[in-house]
Amino acid sequence: MSEVDTARPPGATRRPDEVPRPTREQRVARGKAARAEVPRSSHAEFAPGPGRPDPIELLESQAASRVPELLPIRYGRMAVSAFTFFRGAALVMASDLALTPRSGLLVQACGDAHLSNFGLFASPERQLVFDINDFDETLPGPWEWDVKRLAASLEIAARENGYPIEEREAVVLAAVTAYRRAMRDFAGRPSLEVWYALADMARMQSLVQRLGERRKALARAAAKARSRDNLRALKQFVGVKDGRAGIIADPPQIVPLRDIAGEATEPGEVERQLGGLVRMYRDTLGAERRTLLDQYRVVDMARKVVGVGSVGTRCWIVLMLGDDERDPLFLQAKEAGPSVLEDFVGHSEYDNAGQRVVVGQRLMQTVSDIFLGWVRVQGIDGQTRDFYLRQLRDWKGSAEVETMLPDGMQAYGELCGWTLARAHARSGDRVAIAAYLGSGPTFDVSIREFAQACADHNERDHRALVDAIGSGRVSAESGL
């Protein structure tokens, strides 16, 4: 292992007696030296050998800790298309990426930076912003892995949409070029300016100026996102029975805790567990946010099926009310386990996987949900698990990838590339990474070639899952 591979992970504490921070010249030299060890053209390589793990076995290895009755939904959602398979196969790609060249420069990596894990949400200042919005797999790791997963997702989505090869190549190349140029821009900025940078509506609008009528799509997406708030969630998920508000059952998608606990549960036990969970989570919030949370009381809780790859992990929605039903707060408590990257880059420094997610999210996002926190709690089955919590809906919105035209996907990919560079520049050595990338397109072209090869493998992996379902090896449930 080279010296750069053993670099301090992002976020680690520096003791006063340690070697001073390298100079800018030394950081530039480090990035250029990494080119000699790992040429930028080598990132085009993606040729897993005959010893490549069976992708279906990798997916099945994640089943042990998940809710058994929900696993067929996961496989059913992944089987819909090559793109939905890719969304759920972060572990498969991490296993493949572990065998690819890496520069040795580390960042706080997302671990699952495909294009559908970017989106809109509200900042604490009530601005609509664009950022990465899924951090289940975040961990210090190679910056290239996030770039490669984003590029591959664009290639796969473009294939699903039927774009010709020239337009697919243009989409991927534009996103990687945007990443490289943004990183070089951030390398020249003061640290505080990098830390404050964000993609707000002004930046998004300037990016899509050239799209003509497609600008209307951004306006519609923004309006839709603003409508997705706690009051809207109240109307969608909550009903009144015997004069008491509660979450409406819609199995298997939504199952209230009272239905999972069953009649054998002692009276008041569910309420006690709910209160205990919120009290423990409360301790991870700042004092001012605890004051806000204390203005709400826990009313109900239900298990909810979410996402594609996440299906089977325990995800709860918690209904809280202030003075009355006009003042709701919905929290989402999502189970956190080891990152898919841990088998390949080492374990997290955080014992609580929920804390790992929260710290990683705060490192990568410019602004984060004010209710973001974590908890370790014993479930009704007696098992202890880690969770992270945030608001269920706070102006959250995502792109409709399936309906994008090529120019729209290209603009979206550029925005994702800029956003990913900004996230990496906050925690990694942006000067060294920028020096490694250089001013020319060598790296960009290499990643475009990588994305094509990765998409080919993904199509074969998707067919393998479909075949496994057809043979009865894997049980799947479609339409959910």
Side-chain angles (χ1 to χ4, degrees):
M1 182 178 292
S2 67
E3 182 179 351
V4 290
D5 287 326
T6 59
R8 178 194 309 278
T13 302
R14 180 184 299 275
R15 297 195 312 269
D17 60 338
E18 289 185 313
V19 177
R21 182 179 178 83
T23 65
R24 183 178 184 85
E25 290 73 20
Q26 289 172 326
R27 296 159 71 191
V28 169
R30 181 186 177 198
K32 290 183 176 180
R35 290 189 200 174
E37 292 189 29
V38 183
R40 291 164 295 177
S41 59
S42 69
H43 291 289
E45 299 172 12
F46 186 78
R52 182 183 188 239
D54 177 8
I56 309 306
E57 288 184 2
L58 288 175
L59 296 177
E60 290 176 324
S61 72
Q62 297 179 299
S65 62
R66 302 195 178 204
V67 181
E69 62 265 30
L70 298 182
L71 291 174
I73 299 176
R74 183 193 190 203
Y75 296 130
R77 291 184 178 183
M78 291 182 67
V80 169
S81 69
F83 182 61
T84 60
F85 177 88
F86 184 80
R87 288 181 59 183
L91 176 59
V92 176
M93 188 165 189
S95 176
D96 288 335
L97 287 171
L99 302 177
T100 61
R102 59 178 105 169
S103 65
L105 303 171
L106 301 180
V107 298
Q108 183 70 34
C110 170
D112 193 15
H114 63 75
L115 79 165
S116 291
N117 277 343
F118 293 74
L120 300 169
F121 59 91
S123 74
E125 297 77 22
R126 316 319 293 158
Q127 293 185 54
L128 198 58
V129 299
F130 182 90
D131 213 326
I132 305 169
N133 60 15
D134 190 306
F135 299 89
D136 289 0
E137 312 301 345
T138 187
L139 197 73
W143 59 274
E144 304 98 321
W145 290 8
D146 277 352
V147 178
K148 290 177 178 179
R149 185 149 175 82
L150 173 59
S153 72
L154 287 162
E155 170 69 23
I156 294 165
R159 291 186 184 190
E160 291 288 326
N161 288 0
Y163 302 170
I165 186 170
E166 296 83 3
E167 291 182 333
R168 299 200 309 263
E169 289 180 343
V171 166
V172 175
L173 192 64
V176 184
T177 300
Y179 177 93
R180 175 175 56 82
R181 289 176 175 169
M183 186 62 74
R184 289 178 62 80
D185 176 41
F186 289 127
R189 296 196 196 184
S191 295
L192 278 177
E193 191 173 329
V194 173
W195 201 258
Y196 290 144
L198 81 165
D200 57 10
M201 285 301 295
R203 173 172 286 277
M204 286 182 274
Q205 288 169 346
S206 66
L207 184 65
V208 298
Q209 284 298 315
R210 67 179 187 274
L211 300 184
E213 289 298 311
R214 298 300 294 171
R215 284 179 287 175
K216 296 179 180 179
L218 176 60
R220 289 195 298 270
K224 183 177 179 181
R226 289 190 177 96
S227 72
R228 292 170 61 85
D229 57 12
N230 285 289
L231 282 171
R232 179 77 172 269
L234 184 76
K235 296 175 182 177
Q236 181 176 352
F237 297 123
V238 175
V240 178
K241 184 177 181 180
D242 299 328
R244 181 178 179 181
I247 298 174
I248 302 169
D250 182 21
Q253 305 274 24
I254 300 176
V255 183
L257 178 59
R258 57 185 178 274
D259 294 344
I260 297 174
E263 296 181 359
T265 305
E266 296 181 7
E269 177 61 17
V270 170
E271 289 76 7
R272 185 191 67 79
Q273 289 193 2
L274 280 176
L277 181 149
V278 173
R279 282 192 297 273
M280 287 186 286
Y281 147 73
R282 176 186 181 277
D283 291 339
T284 68
L285 300 177
E288 78 288 353
R289 299 182 186 192
R290 293 198 297 269
T291 298
L292 175 58
L293 183 69
D294 290 346
Q295 297 178 38
Y296 293 87
R297 56 187 172 87
V298 181
V299 174
D300 203 0
M301 182 173 173
R303 189 181 71 198
K304 187 176 187 297
V305 175
V306 295
V308 178
S310 295
V311 177
T313 57
R314 291 151 187 84
C315 182
W316 301 90
I317 53 176
V318 183
L319 169 62
M320 305 181 73
L321 294 177
D323 291 335
D324 52 37
E325 286 76 9
R326 294 173 299 174
D327 185 16
L329 170 63
F330 271 93
L331 296 178
Q332 180 187 71
K334 193 173 183 184
E335 183 180 3
S339 165
V340 295
L341 303 183
E342 291 193 30
D343 286 343
F344 313 107
V345 299
H347 296 295
S348 170
E349 64 178 293
Y350 298 102
D351 175 61
N352 187 307
Q355 184 179 10
R356 170 186 63 78
V357 172
V358 170
V359 172
Q361 180 167 345
R362 289 174 176 164
L363 273 171
M364 298 190 76
Q365 284 185 331
T366 301
V367 294
S368 297
D369 193 312
I370 62 172
F371 288 105
L372 188 62
W374 67 90
V375 69
R376 173 169 289 167
V377 65
Q378 186 178 70
I380 56 177
D381 60 357
Q383 298 296 313
T384 299
R385 298 185 176 88
D386 296 336
F387 292 84
Y388 68 93
L389 287 84
R390 62 183 181 184
Q391 289 186 77
L392 174 66
R393 289 184 177 174
D394 191 25
W395 292 9
K396 292 182 173 70
S398 57
E400 296 178 356
V401 175
E402 299 80 7
T403 62
M404 282 185 179
L405 298 177
D407 57 358
M409 186 175 288
Q410 182 170 327
Y412 183 77
E414 289 177 19
L415 182 59
C416 291
W418 182 93
T419 302
L420 184 61
R422 194 278 335 276
H424 287 170
R426 288 166 61 89
S427 63
D429 188 339
R430 61 189 184 275
V431 174
I433 295 173
Y436 179 84
L437 288 168
S439 59
T442 302
F443 178 80
D444 315 359
V445 173
S446 298
I447 298 301
R448 183 188 65 192
E449 295 176 12
F450 169 91
Q452 293 170 346
C454 182
D456 291 341
H457 273 276
N458 182 73
E459 288 175 359
R460 290 193 284 271
D461 292 346
H462 173 244
R463 285 197 296 271
L465 175 62
V466 173
D467 291 343
I469 293 171
S471 68
R473 174 184 172 183
V474 171
S475 297
E477 202 166 345
S478 60
L480 293 174

